[in-house]
Amino acid sequence: MTQTPDLRPTEQRPARIAPQSGTGFRLSRGETLVVIDPMGEQVADLMAFAADEPAEWLSSGRTFDYNETIYLTSGHKLYSNRSRVMFTLLRDDVGRHDFLLTPCSPETFELLYPPGTAEGHPSCFGNLVAAFAPFGIQPDQIPTTLNIFMNVLVDASGRLHIGPPVSRPGQRLELRAEMDLIVGLTACSAEGSNNGTFKPIDFYVLPAKEDQSRLGGTQDRNHSH
């Protein structure tokens, strides 16, 4: 995706990520990334790195620890591996996302899917590798992703079950950047995560001045750890 400012995706002109593909882009502090499921039941994998220091990345462990929940929604903050806030979640139409599972990879399809599935199969990991390559971010730097709209259920024994996404057409998640970031975003490639189909993901960026009233009275969820 081009980084020319006047060609950035906007609410009037959102960008579309084709099924089983991804993109990478810069997001400035104060801007809000709006991720939309245009057709319903489609997961989007998101990863972010600090723009000035790619050794700092979005951390599921820190985020779960400081928010004291694995169920993230409006008002929660997403932390880096260095315990700095990377995003604040604003509008959340769905209320069910996953930050437990890694992006699907060729190995995912080899180990968890029928024999032969992996051959030539696109993956979110591969799409993120390609998206981050122009920014000098290496494959081994890509950790667990925020899997937007993914419906992962945890039973009483701790076993994980992947259900169909509950997102309906046009529903969205808004994430405000709390530092300058490099972001990778995909339209997930795993059949099991998307109720057996592959669909696009739309997104756009709101300038900082437009998001000030989108989440009022957010409780500060910082903890000392």
Side-chain angles (χ1 to χ4, degrees):
M1 189 185 77
T2 179
Q3 297 302 303
T4 304
D6 62 354
L7 293 182
R8 296 196 77 188
T10 64
E11 189 167 7
Q12 294 73 32
R13 189 181 60 246
R16 172 154 291 187
I17 301 174
Q20 298 184 286
S21 69
T23 190
F25 51 93
R26 293 184 182 274
L27 191 67
S28 297
R29 180 181 179 184
E31 292 182 328
T32 294
L33 173 62
V34 182
V35 181
I36 303 169
D37 183 352
M39 301 175 68
E41 295 190 337
Q42 176 61 45
V43 171
D45 288 23
L46 179 146
M47 180 41 53
F49 295 84
D52 61 350
E53 178 52 274
E56 183 171 11
W57 64 83
L58 185 62
S59 168
S60 59
R62 298 289 185 190
T63 297
F64 290 153
D65 189 6
Y66 302 150
N67 288 287
E68 300 178 338
T69 182
I70 63 172
Y71 298 117
L72 303 168
T73 188
S74 298
H76 287 122
K77 299 180 186 301
L78 308 185
Y79 289 82
S80 76
N81 58 308
R82 297 181 179 176
S83 298
R84 295 201 300 163
V85 179
M86 286 191 136
F87 289 107
T88 298
L89 300 186
L90 304 181
R91 173 177 167 180
D92 180 6
D93 293 345
V94 178
R96 180 52 62 97
H97 315 281
D98 168 64
F99 209 177
L100 293 168
L101 303 183
T102 57
C104 62
S105 65
E107 292 77 15
T108 302
F109 301 113
E110 289 174 1
L111 296 172
L112 298 178
Y113 283 72
T117 301
E119 186 174 353
H121 198 299
S123 70
C124 285
F125 181 76
N127 288 330
L128 288 171
V129 168
F132 283 127
F135 301 98
I137 295 169
Q138 301 301 308
D140 284 343
Q141 292 178 257
I142 300 172
T144 299
T145 45
L146 176 65
N147 304 308
I148 298 170
F149 310 131
M150 188 171 182
N151 183 18
V152 176
L153 308 171
V154 184
D155 70 18
S157 71
R159 186 174 179 83
L160 303 178
H161 304 271
I162 299 176
V166 297
S167 51
R168 300 189 302 274
Q171 290 190 315
R172 67 191 59 199
L173 177 67
E174 298 183 356
L175 309 93
R176 185 177 63 220
E178 305 297 353
M179 64 174 72
D180 292 345
L181 298 168
I182 298 168
V183 177
L185 187 66
T186 75
C188 181
S189 298
E191 290 90 331
S193 300
N194 304 292
N195 204 18
T197 63
F198 304 114
K199 296 176 288 296
I201 285 289
D202 290 348
F203 74 96
Y204 62 86
V205 175
L206 288 169
K209 63 182 181 181
E210 294 187 16
D211 68 29
Q212 299 304 310
S213 63
R214 301 179 83 86
L215 180 66
T218 299
Q219 180 181 359
D220 187 350
R221 298 170 185 268
N222 285 302
H223 295 271
S224 295
H225 283 249

